[in-house]
Amino acid sequence: MQNYDLVIIGGGPAGLAAAVAARNAGIENLLILERDRELGGILNQCIHNGFGLHTFREELTGPEYAGRFIEQVQTLGIPYKLNTMVLDLAADKTITAMSREDGLFRLQPKAVILAMGCRERPRGALNIPGYRPAGIYTAGTAQRLVNMEGFLPGRKVVILGSGDIGLIMARRMTLEGAQVQVVAELMPYSGGLKRNIVQCLDDFGIPLKLSHTVVDIQGRERVEGITLARVENGKPVPGTEEHYDCDTLLLSCGLIPENELSRAAGVAISPVTNGPTVNESLETSIPGVFAAGNVLHVHDLVDYVSEEAAAAGRHAAALIRTGQQVSGRTLPIRCRDGVRYTVPTSIRPEALDPDGTVTLRFRVDGVYRDKRIVVLAGSQPIFSRKRPVLAPGEMETVQLKSRLILDCPDVGELTVKLEDA
Amino acid sequence: MKQVHLICIGCPLGCPLTAELEDREVRSVTGNTCKNGEKYARKELTHPTRIVTSTVRVSGGELAMVSVKTASDIPKDQIFDCIHALKDVEVPAPISMGQVILPNVAGTGVDIVATKAVRRSRAGS
Amino acid sequence: MIYDTIIIGGGVSGTAVARELSRYTGKLCVVERCEDVCCGTSKANSAIVHAGFDAKPGSLMAKLNVAGSKTMAALSRELDFPYRQIGSLVLCWDEAQRPQLEHLYRQGLENGVEGLEILSGDQVRAMEPHVTQNCVAALWAPSAGIVCPFGMTFALAENAARNGAEFRFDTTVTGLARADGLWQVQTDRGILQARTVVNAAGVYAARLHNLVSSHPLHITPRKGEYCLLDKQAGSHVSHTIFQLPGKLGKGVLVTPTVHGNLLLGPTATDIEDFEGVNTTAQGLEAVLRTAALSVDNLPTRQIITSFAGLRAHEDGHEFVLGEVSDAPGFFDCAGIESPGLSSAPAIGILLAEQVAAKLGLSRRADFVPTRKGIVNPAALSFKARQALVRDNPAYGQIICRCESVTEGEILDAIRRTPGARSLDGVKRRTRAGMGRCQGGFCAPRVLELLSRELGVPMDQLTKAGGGSRLIAGTNKDSV
């Protein structure tokens, strides 16, 4: 068994940024395990532009954004293995992995960073009635077929779900010659970015129907049509059914962090995010196992994935260097009044850099206007920021000065909530 | 004076913009949180442009397709001309990131460039 | 070519008959309208091996269910398909219904079911902590089990093929006639001739029967809808949990599957459409509502797919097996609804004996009774798996992440006889695409392997044969 200080599971944006940060923090003996044929993860199929404004101050396509990090990994000489699937992660951090070239092998690093990303919610999770013909794809599968393989999965398309991948695929399919008839969204608001509605739907005259869902799929062999209906209080309204002829139904109905390995290892998982619960160092319930990126919680922008993963890389490096766990109090972070979850879920004041900051990321549970994001230490407000609009499709970030928490030595918990502005 | 509402596509914030137009000329832009917002609104209301991303076929490469983009934004009404121009393009591997795939696409004066590197196929086909 | 026997229908019954008949010297052909075996009722059912207390004593259903159930363990070893004897419980929620439970118990004893016991509500909840509080008693049948209906059908088909049975797919029987002392089986691909015919055509068996007999059969497609839950939910119960049929209807079951998922269903709706395998909003809702009567806290957020199957319900609710009185050499294998899967091994033996006797066939000396399934690398020890990958690196390449299916397994599935020719064919043989992402990640890669192995262009490949093409064209081909 070859030993590494740090093994990063996943060579997508999170894994790459974590590896670069860990190497820059002095970790020499590390390894990235990537299951696909190339580094870059899902960015390789996200050929549209719009990435990296935050990180690189310029607008890049997915492959270009990934390319920047891949170049750093290569320049730093960080080793990686492609086409390598991690089959198991044990509670003692033993990794069982496999590839054609290396066969079946085990590693037991001092620290692990989980960077496996997320996957799409399939049709079953939506329990759409009807037949099960060919022609029903998740938007991501269609994206891979079109962008990586050059195959059009269909010519007349209906998209269910207005997540960003669905919106992006509406434009991609249109530009490759398909006819996208409508995008239906169950919720009264879009799950994707507003700019994507403008440049992917409005530019091409594709209607977006909010509060609508697919109530029937027709066609025994190949999709022949679908029925949409308006939704009120989560239920389709009888009499509002509309038929659309189509040969393809694309689903873009949400992403689920891919935590099979984490669960097998016994990592505690949040029922809200479906990702691990982590402390301020992005360390899971298993000491030495860190998580970052979409495996931790689904992000809206890859820039934040990179930022978060770099933090995980630095924290893992610190743990490897000191070989010591921080002792002392743990403050849980509670969510209230519109805040669905936070990452991290707890903070250990002893682990904070007194002159630094700690980043809280979260999402809200509905569309809110004219609110304030408020953070309480115990019952004492320590942070407040006005937000004219908050929406579930967008991740919120709060940078808290460590000092604000360290100055409240007696509190037992932190709370993040929304208040009227 | 006519008011037009727009969503800025300059960055993921998606600021809601309000522009005031008089005789097809933009008098003012409000709602933007950065100067790009104003620039966007003025452009969008006079000569809208977009970056176009697509794919073209690769011959002899490790990958079947290479992703490409317009090196800068092109007039919005020429998006489909650009796509037509890419229809039968096939590029031999190796391809480097940023390599010009098609110069001056559809007479826009803008080049199509690769957004990904593709190595030659090991099978050597 | 004149066959001794043509079996119409490649479901679990047809392939069971084929496998048993392949012990004899006759020339045998299975004619299947779909592109693979296991495409009708056999692919969408409860995947249960019933203990055998449901059927009326003395009926064929009772006799063959108990016989099939008793041989299932040995057959699963011989043919290497997944089967687990986990036992079943029939829940009773109302003291007033206890006589019904006791009736089932006595019926079971009469049918020869072993180990039956009536348990108290508390005993049941000790075995199954999630069973609802209102359960007052249950019938415990330790001999009941769960099976992979795909695995079982493929095993039977492959073993039949190994012993000389021929398979003709994408071939629909359109007519039947007698000429020159032979059965003329008319198909959309020409006429086939046989001395005997076995009619194992599922919901269509009555139509075929009625072409040759003046004593008509009537079969109604009875739809059953199901929800399948993620493996994370698979241990929610550890036995098959039935409901006592009562005022709430026929009831649905909650059961683990052999692969560790949780299965809920079925509903029971008589329909007109012989191809009506669509799920419905009402049906799926009924499955969840009714299942919740048995078991608390069903993790319904973890549904990964839903599906519907059609039972071939014959009016008399009895298997119709054997030579048709006014059609010599024409054997029915009809009305095979539950407990059809459980009974299939016994149905196969019964019909094979009758057909062999009719034809005067003798047993083959070179019959190979065993078959090895596709290797499941995850079930191997670390060392054995290491060796497997070393010997064949294709077993080192994971294609389906959710179910950890390797390229080696998929290639094996495609290269077998009968082998996988579609995405669903690969899925049912290897489980690639059957996991929580439902093929989102692996479908494009499985298509590549199918295309390469079969030499079929990507845009000709299908989900499940026929017109179920997956790819419509190439980028910009129409701009």
Side-chain angles (χ1 to χ4, degrees):
Chain A
M1 187 152 50
Q2 197 181 345
N3 278 318
Y4 289 90
D5 286 337
L6 173 63
V7 171
I8 296 163
I9 306 178
L16 294 170
V20 168
R23 168 57 65 89
N24 288 336
I27 304 303
E28 293 294 322
N29 188 17
L30 79 172
L31 176 69
I32 304 171
L33 296 177
E34 167 55 43
R35 58 192 162 193
D36 217 329
R37 61 192 171 188
E38 54 185 342
L39 292 174
I42 208 73
L43 287 173
N44 285 313
Q45 67 182 56
C46 299
I47 66 160
H48 53 282
N49 61 317
F51 300 93
L53 269 172
H54 195 79
T55 312
F56 299 111
R57 305 264 155 229
E58 58 179 309
E59 201 170 38
L60 303 173
T61 64
E64 290 171 317
Y65 185 95
R68 300 274 171 113
F69 281 92
I70 293 168
E71 203 181 298
Q72 290 183 56
V73 162
Q74 282 164 347
T75 309
L76 292 168
I78 298 171
Y80 56 88
K81 288 180 186 293
L82 301 178
N83 293 310
T84 302
M85 184 77 183
V86 174
L87 299 174
D88 187 55
L89 172 67
D92 67 357
K93 301 196 279 285
T94 301
I95 290 170
T96 307
M98 186 171 75
S99 75
R100 224 178 244 280
E101 282 75 25
D102 296 299
L104 187 64
F105 60 94
R106 282 189 174 137
L107 305 170
Q108 195 175 27
K110 290 181 188 149
V112 173
I113 297 178
L114 305 173
M116 293 89 79
C118 60
R119 65 187 152 79
E120 297 173 281
R121 203 180 287 276
R123 173 194 179 183
L126 311 167
N127 235 2
I128 305 170
Y131 287 91
R132 303 162 78 223
I136 306 170
Y137 294 94
T138 62
T141 304
Q143 191 177 43
R144 175 160 185 131
L145 283 169
V146 175
N147 291 354
M148 310 281 286
E149 331 275 353
F151 290 112
L152 269 185
R155 300 200 181 276
K156 226 170 165 188
V157 184
V158 169
I159 299 178
L160 175 61
S162 61
D164 285 311
I165 316 174
L167 299 175
I168 291 290
M169 282 314 290
R171 177 175 61 183
R172 281 296 298 138
M173 296 289 288
T174 305
L175 291 182
E176 295 299 348
Q179 187 199 338
V180 178
Q181 315 209 61
V182 64
V183 176
E185 167 61 56
L186 178 71
M187 304 304 284
Y189 48 81
S190 163
L193 297 170
K194 288 189 280 282
R195 67 186 319 219
N196 284 336
I197 294 173
V198 173
Q199 56 186 353
C200 298
L201 302 189
D202 298 352
D203 273 6
F204 303 97
I206 301 167
L208 170 62
K209 295 201 148 206
L210 298 174
S211 300
H212 275 72
T213 195
V214 175
V215 293
D216 191 33
I217 299 169
Q218 296 107 33
R220 280 161 190 170
E221 297 187 318
R222 175 84 198 192
V223 174
E224 287 166 11
I226 60 101
T227 307
L228 285 188
R230 192 154 53 75
V231 173
E232 266 171 30
N233 306 318
K235 296 260 177 219
V237 181
T240 63
E241 293 86 358
E242 271 177 284
H243 173 82
Y244 286 85
D245 279 337
C246 59
D247 63 9
T248 305
L249 174 64
L250 296 189
L251 304 173
S252 178
C253 302
L255 300 166
I256 307 168
E258 231 185 320
N259 275 292
E260 283 65 42
L261 293 172
S262 329
R263 282 198 177 87
V267 166
I269 301 289
S270 153
V272 183
T273 57
N274 285 305
T277 56
V278 292
N279 61 26
E280 75 301 317
S281 303
L282 302 171
E283 191 178 25
T284 68
S285 62
I286 298 182
V289 176
F290 298 80
N294 282 348
V295 79
L296 179 54
H297 58 136
V298 176
H299 292 60
D300 53 350
L301 296 185
V302 70
D303 302 76
Y304 300 138
V305 167
S306 304
E307 199 177 275
E308 182 178 270
R314 286 190 299 272
H315 290 304
L319 176 74
I320 293 162
R321 276 200 318 268
T322 62
Q324 270 180 5
Q325 277 292 330
V326 174
S327 54
R329 301 180 301 152
T330 297
L331 306 180
I333 304 176
R334 312 278 177 213
C335 307
R336 260 174 47 196
D337 304 335
V339 177
R340 280 185 65 220
Y341 70 85
T342 62
V343 168
T345 39
S346 65
I347 287 177
R348 298 169 302 172
E350 264 65 15
L352 296 176
D353 169 7
D355 303 317
T357 61
V358 57
T359 305
L360 306 185
R361 300 182 200 277
F362 66 92
R363 286 197 194 231
V364 294
D365 61 7
V367 177
Y368 294 95
R369 287 178 199 285
D370 299 321
K371 291 281 178 185
R372 250 170 206 296
I373 299 168
V374 176
V375 182
L376 306 173
S379 55
Q380 175 75 32
I382 57 169
F383 176 93
S384 166
R385 188 171 79 217
K386 229 180 124 175
R387 292 286 283 134
V389 184
L390 297 109
E394 282 156 45
M395 204 171 72
E396 298 293 329
T397 304
V398 166
Q399 298 269 0
L400 272 185
K401 288 203 173 73
S402 304
R403 194 39 72 201
L404 293 169
I405 297 167
L406 295 171
D407 284 349
C408 305
D410 302 324
V411 302
E413 62 178 43
L414 300 177
T415 303
V416 182
K417 61 174 193 167
L418 301 185
E419 275 179 11
D420 287 333
Chain B
M1 196 89 83
K2 199 175 111 192
Q3 274 203 351
V4 184
H5 298 282
L6 296 170
I7 297 286
C8 179
I9 63 169
C11 85
L13 278 181
C15 294
L17 309 178
T18 305
E20 298 205 322
L21 277 155
E22 201 171 337
D23 301 332
R24 314 186 99 201
E25 232 175 85
V26 181
R27 294 288 175 199
S28 73
V29 178
T30 52
N32 51 314
T33 45
C34 75
K35 58 182 191 314
N36 290 333
E38 180 171 348
K39 231 191 277 175
Y40 168 75
R42 290 187 181 278
K43 211 173 187 182
E44 187 70 6
L45 293 169
T46 51
H47 56 288
T49 60
R50 295 288 185 267
I51 298 265
V52 177
T53 62
S54 189
T55 54
V56 298
R57 246 157 249 292
V58 176
S59 58
E62 273 190 344
L63 304 174
M65 309 295 288
V66 63
S67 50
V68 298
K69 68 174 184 184
T70 52
S72 62
D73 44 354
I74 63 165
K76 193 174 143 183
D77 57 13
Q78 283 190 276
I79 292 176
F80 280 99
D81 300 333
C82 170
I83 294 295
H84 278 285
L86 291 175
K87 179 176 162 123
D88 297 316
V89 175
E90 187 173 273
V91 197
I95 299 166
S96 56
M97 196 184 283
Q99 178 180 324
V100 174
I101 300 294
L102 188 67
N104 184 20
V105 64
T108 55
V110 175
D111 297 343
I112 295 285
V113 296
T115 57
K116 187 176 175 63
V118 181
R119 283 185 298 188
R120 215 177 262 128
S121 157
R122 266 174 294 180
S125 61
Chain C
M1 158 76 76
I2 296 170
Y3 295 102
D4 288 294
T5 308
I6 285 177
I7 297 168
I8 305 172
V12 72
S13 311
T15 55
V17 175
R19 191 261 176 165
E20 290 305 321
L21 207 45
S22 72
R23 292 177 186 274
Y24 297 89
T25 48
K27 184 75 194 139
L28 175 62
C29 179
V30 178
V31 176
E32 166 58 48
R33 71 191 177 104
C34 296
E35 50 106 36
D36 200 351
V37 295
C38 202
C39 282
T41 302
S42 305
K43 81 163 188 229
N45 54 69
S46 303
I48 296 297
V49 178
H50 293 271
F53 50 76
D54 298 284
K56 214 163 61 196
S59 65
L60 273 173
M61 277 186 174
K63 192 177 133 213
L64 298 176
N65 181 350
V66 175
S69 155
K70 284 182 178 163
T71 56
M72 199 62 83
L75 187 68
S76 74
R77 283 191 298 272
E78 197 169 49
L79 296 181
D80 195 17
F81 62 82
Y83 160 76
R84 268 197 311 137
Q85 188 186 325
I86 58 168
S88 69
L89 291 159
V90 182
L91 305 187
C92 171
W93 299 319
D94 186 348
E95 281 298 342
Q97 283 188 309
R98 193 181 278 271
Q100 236 180 298
L101 201 66
E102 284 162 357
H103 168 74
L104 280 184
Y105 172 76
R106 284 191 304 274
Q107 191 165 273
L109 290 186
E110 212 175 318
N111 289 348
V113 181
E114 285 163 14
L116 290 176
E117 230 180 298
I118 290 190
L119 306 179
S120 70
D122 288 340
Q123 282 175 306
V124 173
R125 280 181 292 273
M127 285 169 77
E128 284 290 359
H130 288 294
V131 160
T132 51
Q133 274 306 315
N134 58 1
C135 166
V136 294
L139 176 62
W140 164 237
S143 63
I146 50 179
V147 66
C148 173
F150 317 131
M152 180 172 163
T153 308
F154 292 132
L156 291 164
E158 286 173 24
N159 189 235
R162 170 76 176 75
N163 289 297
E166 207 179 293
F167 283 81
R168 287 173 184 259
F169 292 108
D170 295 314
T171 306
T172 304
V173 173
T174 53
L176 288 159
R178 284 290 290 182
D180 313 324
L182 292 170
W183 284 102
Q184 312 289 323
V185 179
Q186 295 148 10
T187 79
D188 56 353
R189 291 176 178 248
I191 293 176
L192 303 169
Q193 295 179 307
R195 295 188 176 88
T196 57
V197 170
V198 176
N199 168 22
V203 289
Y204 292 101
R207 286 191 194 173
L208 294 183
H209 169 99
N210 296 343
L211 290 175
V212 303
S213 172
S214 54
H215 310 294
L217 270 183
H218 185 250
I219 286 176
T220 310
R222 181 169 285 178
K223 187 191 290 193
E225 299 186 41
Y226 294 88
C227 295
L228 186 74
L229 277 65
D230 192 280
K231 285 181 172 176
Q232 273 173 43
S235 54
H236 198 72
V237 298
S238 43
H239 310 87
T240 302
I241 313 236
F242 295 104
Q243 302 172 342
L244 200 53
K247 52 185 179 236
L248 293 157
K250 255 185 76 86
V252 308
L253 61 78
V254 178
T255 185
T257 71
V258 279
H259 298 293
N261 298 87
L262 191 73
L263 182 66
L264 317 178
T267 53
T269 319
D270 288 347
I271 61 169
E272 314 256 298
D273 184 353
F274 280 64
E275 301 289 321
V277 292
N278 55 321
T279 56
T280 62
Q282 307 88 298
L284 296 176
E285 198 265 328
V287 167
L288 298 182
R289 181 168 29 86
T290 318
L293 298 172
S294 300
V295 176
D296 284 326
N297 304 321
L298 279 171
T300 52
R301 282 185 59 190
Q302 302 205 30
I303 293 173
I304 56 172
T305 188
S306 51
F307 60 91
L310 303 181
R311 311 168 181 88
H313 174 68
E314 191 272 323
D315 287 357
H317 186 54
E318 172 63 313
F319 297 151
V320 181
L321 300 173
E323 192 170 9
V324 175
S325 59
D326 55 350
F330 187 93
F331 292 78
D332 273 331
C333 178
I336 312 298
E337 59 180 317
S338 177
L341 184 64
S342 321
S343 309
I347 290 173
I349 294 169
L350 179 94
L351 279 173
E353 280 172 358
Q354 290 184 7
V355 172
K358 177 85 184 177
L359 291 167
L361 303 175
S362 53
R363 294 227 173 204
R364 287 166 51 153
D366 59 351
F367 176 74
V368 179
T370 55
R371 165 262 185 191
K372 281 310 285 174
I374 295 169
V375 67
N376 176 8
L380 300 176
S381 70
F382 186 82
K383 278 223 147 71
R385 189 168 189 178
Q386 225 168 12
L388 177 73
V389 179
R390 203 180 308 120
D391 293 345
N392 185 348
Y395 287 97
Q397 180 71 55
I398 294 278
I399 301 290
C400 166
R401 301 170 183 179
C402 302
E403 297 288 319
S404 284
V405 182
T406 64
E407 184 176 321
E409 293 155 77
I410 293 170
L411 294 180
D412 187 1
I414 298 170
R415 291 170 184 169
R416 279 172 182 250
T417 309
R421 296 190 297 157
S422 66
L423 211 52
D424 279 359
V426 169
K427 176 170 92 171
R428 294 194 191 113
R429 283 174 179 81
T430 66
R431 297 187 58 72
M434 218 177 257
R436 47 183 67 105
C437 94
Q438 290 285 297
F441 285 121
C442 67
R445 310 203 46 194
V446 173
L447 288 178
E448 270 172 49
L449 292 176
L450 277 166
S451 175
R452 195 179 81 198
E453 282 296 306
L454 301 175
V456 173
M458 289 280 278
D459 60 0
Q460 304 290 311
L461 290 170
T462 64
K463 176 174 185 284
S468 64
R469 298 249 169 100
L470 289 150
I471 302 289
T474 54
N475 289 4
K476 303 186 186 72
D477 62 359
S478 65
V479 301

